[in-house]
Structure formats: structure tokens, C-alpha cells
Amino acid sequence: MSSQHPCQRVVVTPGFRVRVAAVPEGGAGAAGLGDTMALRWWWRCGPGSRWEQPLGSLPRLRPPGPGARTPLLPPTPSAAICHFTQRNSTLSFPKICNIFWRFHHTSTSHWCSCSKTVSNEKYQDPFQLGRKDLKNLYEDIKKELLVSAAEFKEMCDYYFDGKGKAFRPMIVVLMARACNIHHNNSREVQASQRSVAIIAEMIHTASLVHDDVIDDANSRRGKMTVNQIWGERKAVLAGDFILSAASVALARIGNTTIISVLTQVIEDLVRGEFLQLGSKENENERFAHYLEKTFKKTASLIANSCKAVSILGCPDPKVHEIAYQYGKNVGIAFQLIDDVLDFTSCADHLGKPAAADLKLGLATGPVLFACRQFPEMNAMIMRRFSKPGDVERARKYVLQSDGVQQTTYLAQRYCHEATREISKLRPSPEREALIQLTEMVLTRDK
Amino acid sequence: MWGALLRRGGRGPGCLRGLASGGPPWSQVVSEAEKIVGYPTSFMSLRCLLSDELSNIAMQVRKLVGTKHPLLDTARGFVYDSRNNLQMRGLVVLLISKAAGPSTGDISFQHNMVSGIYSSQRSLAEITELIHTAFLVHRGIVNIGELKSCDGPLKDMQFGNKMAVLSGDFLLANACTSLAQLQNTKVVELISSAIGDLVQGIYYENSKSSEENCLTDDICISTWKEQVFLSHSALLAKSCQAAMELAKHSAEIQDMAFQYGKHMSMSHKLHSDLQPFVKESSADTVAFSLNSAPAVLHQEFLGREAWIKQIREAQGKGNTMDYKKLQAAIKAGKGVTSAMDLCRFHGNRALAALEGFPPSEARAALANIVYAVTRFP
């Protein structure tokens, strides 16, 4: 194995078939991004400074910081946009990813000789694997929404039109399969696990409907928002109803642990929304605050739904933790990229207005990074971009700075961590799909 | 006090009397009932009300003073009205828990009881209140597109909506968390479905009140009953049932608790709908809903066309409704008396459901609540 790449080491531990650890050339252990201390340190010292020494897990990945700018990463806005429109950009990430890919490919065939069919070609698209499980997903969700009034039914069904990405249900069913295979080589998805996928999408949608009222948003996924069409009073009720239907479906799974795990999501979503209201004076606190908000508003749902299906599929608490950590890291990366797209993508493409976060007064990752290069942004952040011209100026600063690259880089680190976690499971096509999914999170453009 | 109550009732807690004679006033019924269940129920969601999140909102809500955002009234209600109707649901859940007692054959369980009520049932009572309060808040969202300039600045109204959505969601999330901690999937399902019922009931309420040009929906009393069950009864009925499930009572007892909760809250709603028509002092005629029970029944007796004609006459010039005139028209018909009959009908059904519980102070208090909501001057 060691001939594959000097940086990789396979550790076989009891209970797990394969444990992959990314080992730096220096030989120190792998540091996880879940480690807040390391992250805080990274933020404080700046990724351009001595960052490699304490984190040290990915020596080849050069951070696009001001001190370590490579010729591959011109810090111009157009280059940043180029990265998100052309999938095969010259960013350093795909290289690392390919290394990973090759490694996993070989490790899979090495450890699991029964699955000789494993190849890059076949599992290029993880969505293919889960698609079978997710067939009729939206039809089944609509069946959960038992409403007698026709107009109210239409409102509740509105976002379950089959045009969403179904990103969350996809992760959930793939995780379910990966855990089932890990546990007893089962190739089936249990009905209760599929219910978790449905519930995750319902909770997510309910929160979208409420968020749109809170933010007074007009468009989402390329169509008008529920509040725009039916008014705020009814929109809030539609969100409440979807949530109650999700709760009923959750109770019908009949497992109190699963109820607790997914109820945590509901609490986190609300607390995340409260966190979004406040802002911190101190720069370091501000970044920690941003990450906490990101976890609660986005990652908690993915992390806890992954945990829920792992509990249903496998009794080993270590597996539950792996599933949770994978979901948490992918979730944070997903939101970081979302925050980047708010700057780099145009409104038509996103299905919602661009620079929406700034208009709402929110300072997301790219802004916080940019602020370190342009301290004059501090005042704007504190007044939540409320003065005329603030939004435009802040946007300009962000695109002039390396805020977009830094945020993307941070997202890569979270994806790497997710990959490291999921690699602890027994190899399976589904596990490979989950690894590839982390890459899709990074390269998506909408 | 309790002794006085019994003397007035004429008979001990051993048997339930009919509805003919008047009971003690509402506030007295509540304060006596609170003593039975151990501690005042108004403290129940204090933990929530004192949380950082809601204190923050309370600070922010001050920005709304001067606007007409409904959140202001709801927030005032937390302070001024907490002794009245606000916590009635939690109280009833506690009373019926105590009335049912521990299920037979379950002795191991009993040491968990305080004042004859399981701690899980106390949590459930709090959850019921949290849900009810959450929807009081969510009822008070305004439609931004329909605002008039007198309501207040657009920005403030948007802010009020934001606070209302958030604080309602916060209360609801707390309810969900406590619900999960009960570790009973059947109870989670029951209460979640009650939330769904409540939402649909409020939806019907909203779709009516949005027609501000004062034409009523063409609904008959059976539709009215279905909708009022959703908006006013389902939560209490299902909470009462869930309280029995938590003590592992039989399906029969669960159903009786459900029936009590359902019929008591139906008569409660009818009672409050009737207030504008039975109050003696006609000086302060309040605007009443044209979809309240007496109005709906009045329409049934009169026929829709004649009713619309009466509304048009009361509307007069300038689209301001002469409620006094309309009130007189309804009082002249059979709507009021038949709404009272309906109120008593549900009261009797609630009392009948109580017959399934052994005589106790708690059962007598539940009966007194029924007497209070079926009493007319």
C-alpha cells in the first residue's frame, strides 16, 4: 500500500476493515477539522502564516492565502468565478482529490476482492446509486401531508415538485446503505431508513418556508416563494404543518432514540436562526460564531439524519459517530460553498437573487476572510451593510480579496475530513459514492 | 375556599351534578384547581420565557411600540393574561392526570408521582401550553402585501413578523424537545398530529378573517364544528389522551379523556363566542366575528340570502359595520339560544366522559370547569 503514495497509510483496526489516515510527511498524526482549537488557531494566525505545522495533515494542499499565493490562483474575481463555472479548474484541490480517488480505488479492490467491479467509471455519479431508493420520494412526502383544504394542500406541496436537488435524502440513503453493508453486508435500505430521508427533506423544506418569511425573500429555486404568492400568515402555517407532518412520520418509525436525534435538528435550526440575528464585535469570536451558526442551520440536519440511519442499520456506536462526523463535515462544507456561490454565481443560475446574504446584513465566510485584508469592512459588518452602497462595496472588496478562495479552501478541508471519517467504514460502492459526493459539494455551481 | 365551592355546588365531589345550576366564576374555578394539582400552572413555561432567546426578543419587541403589529398584543398577553385563559390547557391536563391516577397493577411506577401526577404528565402539560402559546404567536403574523400606512412603517412590520416567526418556532422547538424526552412514540405521534390539526384550524380561521369586507363564509354549523374542533379542541383532547397513555391507562380511559378535552373546549369556545350577545351592558358593544357560533346558527335559521341582506343593511355607507345593529338582529333570531343549547350539549358530553373516572377532588374540579363554561347570566 505504501507504494501508492507516501502520504497515505492504511491502518487496520479491530472492528473496522480499513482505516485510512492521511499522514503528513513529518509523520505526525492526522488532525481533524472537527478540532475547533486547531481551527481557531488557523483563523487567528492566518492560513498564510505557519499554518502547516500544527495542522500538518495535508502538506500538498497549499492554502490560497496572501502569503502563499500560487501562480495557479490569481486572486482576481474573474478567476474565482471561472473556478465555479468550469468544473476542471486548475485549483489545487482536484489533484489531491485524484490522489485520494486512486488510493481509495486501489484500497477497495485490495480489501474487498468480491467487488471487482469497482471502478471510477461506474461510480462517477453517486446519485445513480441512491436514485432507486429515492424513486417516488416526493410523491411519498406529499402523501404524508394530509390536508383537506385545497389551497393549503397546494402550499404545503409547493416545494416538493421534484425539482429540488434532493441533496439531503441522497446523502441519507447512501449513508444507510454504507452502514448496512458495514454491519452485515446487507444490500437493502430499510423502510425506516428511507423514512429518515423523507423526514430530513421535510424538516429542511419547512425551515426554508419560514426562512423566506423571516428574510422577506421573493424567489427560491427559480420560482416565487410561498410567502410571495400566499402571504406571510399562511406561509408560516404551511411551514408549521410540514414540520408537524414530519414529526408524525418520525413518531411512526417507532424508535425513541431516532426521535431524539432528529428532534435535536429542529432545536438547532431555531437556535441557528437566533445566532444569525446577533453579531460579534471581536473578529475571532465572529468567525467561531459563523461556524457555529453554519453547523446549526445546515450541518446539524445532515449530521443527525446520517446518525439516525446509522443507528437503524448498525448497533455499533463507533459507526454512529462516523456517520455523524461525515454528515457534519459535509454539511459545513456545503454551506461554505453556498456562501461562496452567493458571491460568484449570478441570480439566474442560483434561482435566487445574488449577494442575498449581504442584503440581509449577513457576514458569511468570504466577507470574514476579506475583512482581514480590508479592515475597513469591519464597520460595515457591524452595521450589517445597512448604509446605502455598503452591499456593493462589500461585494467588491470580497471579490478583490482572496475571501472566496479561502472559504473554498476551508470547505475543502471539511470535505477532506468527511472523507477521512467515512473511509473508516467497510468499503462499498456506496461508501465511494459518499466520498465522491464530497467532491460534488465542492464543485457544484448552484 | 374549596369548602365554599362544595357548599355552593350543594353536593360533595362524589357525584357530578347536571348543568342546571350556576357554578362558581371562572377565576375561582381555576385558582382552586391549581391548588389540587400542586403548584400554579402559570409557572409552567417560565423556563422558556426566561431563556436568552426570548429575553432577546422581548428587548427587540419594544421597537414595535407604536405600530399595529399583533405580536405586541400577544407579548402583553404573556404578562397580563397569564392568570386567565392562557394556561387553562396545562391545568386541565394535570387535573385529568390526577383524576385518572396511577393505572392499576402499576405500583413500581408510583414513586414518580408528585401530588398524584407523574412527572412525565407535568412535562406534557407544559408541552401543551408551549404549543398553544407558539400558535398564539404564529397567529399574529401580518401579510406584508396587505399593509395600510396606518399600521406602521413597513420595515417595522417586517421586523415584527421576523420576531413572531422566530419566537413561535422557538417555543415549538422547545415543545418538540420536551416531547422527545417523554420517550413514548405514541405520545409523540398524538401531539404531533394535534399540532397539524391546530395549524389547519388556524388556516381556516385565517382564510375567513382575510375577507375583511365582512361577508361571511357560507358554512353550516357542522362545518363550523369541524373547524373549531381543529383550531380549539384537538390539542387539548389529544393532550388529555396522551396524559392517559403516559400512565399506561387503557384505551377506554384514553378515549374518555379525549372526549372530555374535546367537549369541554368546544363549550369553552361556544361560551366565549356567546359573550357579546349575553352581556347585560350594551354600552360597549364589541365587534364580534361574523363566523362565531351565534352568527353561523343565525344564518342557518334565517337562510343565507336574508342574512347577507342584514349584513348589507348594517354595513351602511363607508363600509363601516354597525355591529350594534347586527347584534340586535342576531339576538332577535334563534341563533343565540341555540348556541347556548349547543354549549350545554357539549358540556353534558364532557360531564358524561368524566363519569368514567373515580370520584375525586380533581374530577370535581374538571366538572367545575365545565359548569363555569356553560354558565350564562
Side-chain angles (χ1 to χ4, degrees):
Chain A
M1 279 316 285
S2 59
S3 63
Q4 286 297 321
H5 195 278
C7 290
Q8 310 291 348
R9 186 175 73 192
V10 174
V11 186
V12 182
T13 50
F16 295 99
R17 290 292 286 274
V18 193
R19 183 166 173 269
V20 181
V23 181
E25 275 147 338
L33 255 206
D35 182 355
T36 337
M37 284 307 288
L39 195 93
R40 289 224 175 107
W41 186 91
W42 181 61
W43 167 255
R44 246 196 328 275
C45 299
S49 55
R50 302 163 34 243
W51 73 281
E52 277 153 298
Q53 214 174 342
L55 270 178
S57 56
L58 271 180
R60 284 170 180 273
L61 225 172
R62 306 222 104 212
R69 225 169 251 158
T70 63
L72 291 175
L73 282 171
T76 53
S78 58
I81 291 163
C82 155
H83 164 57
F84 289 98
T85 44
Q86 300 170 6
R87 283 178 64 116
N88 294 322
S89 83
T90 49
L91 202 71
S92 52
F93 171 70
K95 277 191 187 168
I96 277 292
C97 200
N98 284 339
I99 292 165
F100 249 86
W101 226 172
R102 205 173 64 227
F103 165 71
H104 281 298
H105 171 58
T106 47
S107 75
T108 306
S109 41
H110 179 83
W111 286 97
C112 191
S113 51
C114 54
S115 57
K116 287 206 178 71
T117 50
V118 175
S119 77
N120 266 352
E121 284 306 303
K122 190 171 175 191
Y123 302 111
Q124 208 62 52
D125 181 9
F127 287 71
Q128 208 81 56
L129 281 164
R131 206 157 279 152
K132 201 179 79 194
D133 304 319
L134 298 182
K135 209 176 153 227
N136 299 327
L137 175 86
Y138 290 109
E139 290 312 308
D140 292 343
I141 289 177
K142 287 182 202 166
K143 277 181 209 152
E144 298 285 340
L145 300 166
L146 298 166
V147 176
S148 46
E151 183 198 47
F152 196 50
K153 175 71 180 150
E154 192 189 337
M155 292 172 65
C156 292
D157 288 353
Y158 187 66
Y159 284 130
F160 302 113
D161 56 359
K163 289 180 186 139
K165 290 188 288 277
F167 173 71
R168 290 158 187 83
M170 181 59 72
I171 290 189
V172 172
V173 292
L174 288 174
M175 180 61 79
R177 284 176 167 276
C179 291
N180 296 353
I181 289 170
H182 179 87
H183 177 51
N184 57 6
N185 231 349
S186 158
R187 297 264 151 196
E188 297 299 314
V189 170
Q190 299 165 26
S192 59
Q193 291 175 319
R194 190 171 180 275
S195 290
V196 172
I198 283 180
I199 292 160
E201 187 69 359
M202 289 171 82
I203 294 177
H204 170 61
T205 307
S207 79
L208 291 185
V209 174
H210 279 197
D211 282 359
D212 284 345
V213 175
I214 290 171
D215 300 339
D216 201 29
N218 301 321
S219 60
R220 172 176 298 275
R221 294 181 186 168
K223 53 191 209 177
M224 282 165 89
T225 55
V226 176
N227 47 298
Q228 191 69 15
I229 300 176
W230 288 283
E232 285 74 11
R233 286 176 73 94
K234 288 180 181 174
V236 168
L237 294 177
D240 287 338
F241 189 82
I242 295 168
L243 187 68
S244 76
S247 259
V248 171
L250 178 57
R252 289 200 180 131
I253 292 178
N255 181 323
T256 54
T257 310
I258 302 301
I259 292 177
S260 296
V261 168
L262 288 179
T263 299
Q264 183 64 45
V265 175
I266 297 171
E267 196 174 323
D268 283 343
L269 282 171
V270 175
R271 290 196 190 270
E273 199 63 46
F274 272 94
L275 285 177
Q276 195 161 293
L277 282 182
S279 45
K280 295 271 187 240
E281 198 100 30
N282 178 296
E283 260 189 65
N284 296 323
E285 277 179 37
R286 206 185 277 155
F287 198 76
H289 189 259
Y290 165 68
L291 285 177
E292 193 188 350
K293 185 219 81 183
T294 302
F295 170 74
K296 292 208 157 129
K297 280 203 71 179
T298 311
S300 171
L301 174 64
I302 301 172
N304 283 300
S305 339
C306 282
K307 185 177 172 183
V309 288
S310 76
I311 292 170
L312 291 166
C314 173
D316 185 354
K318 284 187 214 136
V319 172
H320 308 161
E321 185 60 17
I322 292 167
Y324 179 86
Q325 289 298 336
Y326 172 85
K328 175 182 150 184
N329 283 286
V330 165
I332 294 177
F334 183 86
Q335 187 57 48
L336 289 170
I337 295 301
D338 219 49
D339 294 344
V340 162
L341 290 173
D342 199 46
F343 286 94
T344 57
S345 205
C346 61
D348 285 349
H349 203 69
L350 283 178
K352 59 182 179 190
D357 292 333
L358 285 178
K359 287 171 195 158
L360 291 170
L362 302 178
T364 55
V367 177
L368 296 177
F369 280 112
C371 181
R372 285 148 42 107
Q373 261 171 294
F374 300 101
E376 51 269 49
M377 290 180 79
N378 248 315
M380 283 194 266
I381 294 175
M382 286 319 289
R383 63 174 179 256
R384 300 180 81 94
F385 314 103
S386 54
K387 277 196 182 166
D390 273 1
V391 170
E392 290 71 25
R393 263 192 303 151
R395 195 175 140 83
K396 236 173 91 186
Y397 277 132
V398 167
L399 296 177
Q400 271 170 25
S401 74
D402 62 355
V404 161
Q405 289 95 322
Q406 289 287 358
T407 312
T408 309
Y409 174 69
L410 185 59
Q412 287 168 14
R413 309 261 309 147
Y414 277 104
C415 280
H416 171 70
E417 182 61 17
T419 303
R420 203 179 69 81
E421 287 288 342
I422 199 69
S423 302
K424 295 173 186 169
L425 291 186
R426 182 201 292 243
S428 65
E430 285 81 0
R431 188 191 78 169
E432 301 313 308
L434 283 169
I435 290 169
Q436 207 182 7
L437 202 136
T438 66
E439 193 190 347
M440 293 176 65
V441 163
L442 294 170
T443 50
R444 75 200 176 98
D445 58 2
K446 65 190 278 188
Chain B
M1 271 308 246
W2 183 241
L5 204 75
L6 295 185
R7 276 194 299 281
R8 196 192 305 238
R11 279 186 265 177
C15 54
L16 301 167
R17 64 194 159 77
L19 286 177
S21 57
W26 176 255
S27 56
Q28 193 183 335
V29 170
V30 169
S31 65
E32 292 303 330
E34 282 181 341
K35 284 176 198 157
I36 297 172
V37 295
Y39 51 80
T41 44
S42 357
F43 287 157
M44 281 197 306
S45 31
L46 212 56
R47 181 173 49 83
C48 226
L49 291 175
L50 291 180
S51 65
D52 278 356
E53 280 84 358
L54 285 196
S55 336
N56 227 323
I57 285 204
M59 298 283 287
Q60 307 276 3
V61 164
R62 288 193 295 194
K63 285 188 199 166
L64 297 177
V65 174
T67 70
K68 284 191 181 163
H69 201 285
L71 183 59
L72 267 181
D73 282 335
T74 316
R76 278 193 200 109
F78 288 144
V79 184
Y80 297 120
D81 205 33
S82 58
R83 299 294 301 175
N84 291 323
N85 291 343
L86 211 66
Q87 309 257 320
M88 185 268 281
R89 287 145 202 88
L91 180 61
V92 168
V93 171
L94 293 180
L95 283 172
I96 206 149
S97 300
K98 184 158 184 174
S103 60
T104 44
D106 175 43
I107 299 149
S108 61
F109 219 35
Q110 280 180 33
H111 62 271
N112 279 330
M113 286 183 131
V114 177
S115 308
I117 299 163
Y118 292 112
S119 64
S120 59
Q121 292 171 321
R122 288 192 190 271
S123 296
L124 178 69
E126 182 179 326
I127 291 164
T128 309
E129 281 304 332
L130 283 174
I131 294 169
H132 175 71
T133 313
F135 283 100
L136 282 184
V137 176
H138 275 182
R139 270 180 166 106
I141 305 276
V142 295
N143 282 337
I144 297 295
E146 296 162 14
L147 290 177
K148 301 182 192 88
S149 56
C150 65
D151 290 326
L154 177 70
K155 236 184 146 184
D156 289 347
M157 296 306 274
Q158 277 172 342
F159 182 77
N161 267 0
K162 187 171 174 164
M163 292 298 118
V165 175
L166 273 175
S167 43
D169 283 353
F170 177 77
L171 294 169
L172 218 46
N174 271 277
C176 287
T177 306
S178 306
L179 199 53
Q181 283 163 0
L182 294 180
Q183 301 272 313
N184 182 319
T185 58
K186 198 181 165 199
V187 169
V188 175
E189 186 177 343
L190 258 177
I191 302 298
S192 303
S193 76
I195 297 176
D197 292 343
L198 185 51
V199 174
Q200 289 195 71
I202 298 171
Y203 170 82
Y204 287 121
E205 253 174 32
N206 274 0
S207 51
K208 283 177 213 154
S209 59
S210 66
E211 293 166 55
E212 283 292 2
N213 47 359
C214 287
L215 279 179
T216 55
D217 279 17
D218 189 8
I219 57 164
C220 58
I221 194 70
S222 64
T223 312
W224 182 90
K225 279 164 89 171
E226 277 167 31
Q227 295 180 358
V228 166
F229 171 73
L230 293 174
S231 61
H232 286 79
S233 299
L235 176 62
L236 187 58
K238 289 181 175 175
S239 291
C240 287
Q241 184 186 347
M244 301 301 103
E245 163 66 25
L246 285 172
K248 301 275 169 265
H249 282 295
S250 67
E252 289 74 37
I253 302 256
Q254 288 189 26
D255 184 55
M256 259 160 337
F258 177 94
Q259 296 299 333
Y260 174 81
K262 174 184 167 180
H263 291 293
M264 191 281 283
S265 44
M266 290 298 278
S267 30
H268 183 252
K269 168 70 173 153
L270 282 154
H271 189 257
S272 68
D273 271 13
L274 274 161
Q275 288 313 301
F277 301 93
V278 295
K279 279 218 177 89
E280 291 306 316
S281 58
S282 55
D284 50 323
T285 306
V286 278
F288 54 89
S289 166
L290 292 181
N291 286 302
S292 66
V296 171
L297 285 161
H298 179 70
Q299 173 184 292
E300 277 210 337
F301 286 114
L302 204 65
R304 176 137 179 100
E305 270 174 44
W307 171 228
I308 297 227
K309 195 166 159 251
Q310 281 185 340
I311 294 175
R312 294 252 187 260
E313 281 166 10
Q315 234 165 352
K317 282 171 241 157
N319 253 0
T320 47
M321 183 70 74
D322 183 354
Y323 276 99
K324 210 161 181 178
K325 194 170 177 182
L326 211 54
Q327 194 185 50
I330 293 172
K331 272 179 162 176
K334 283 186 279 188
V336 175
T337 47
S338 76
M340 283 178 180
D341 287 345
L342 193 59
C343 180
R344 292 197 191 96
F345 166 78
H346 285 292
N348 279 322
R349 293 286 299 271
L351 290 176
L354 284 181
E355 298 284 358
F357 294 87
S360 67
E361 272 188 339
R363 191 184 80 164
L366 287 168
N368 274 332
I369 289 176
V370 176
Y371 303 142
V373 296
T374 48
R375 198 171 62 119
F376 298 102

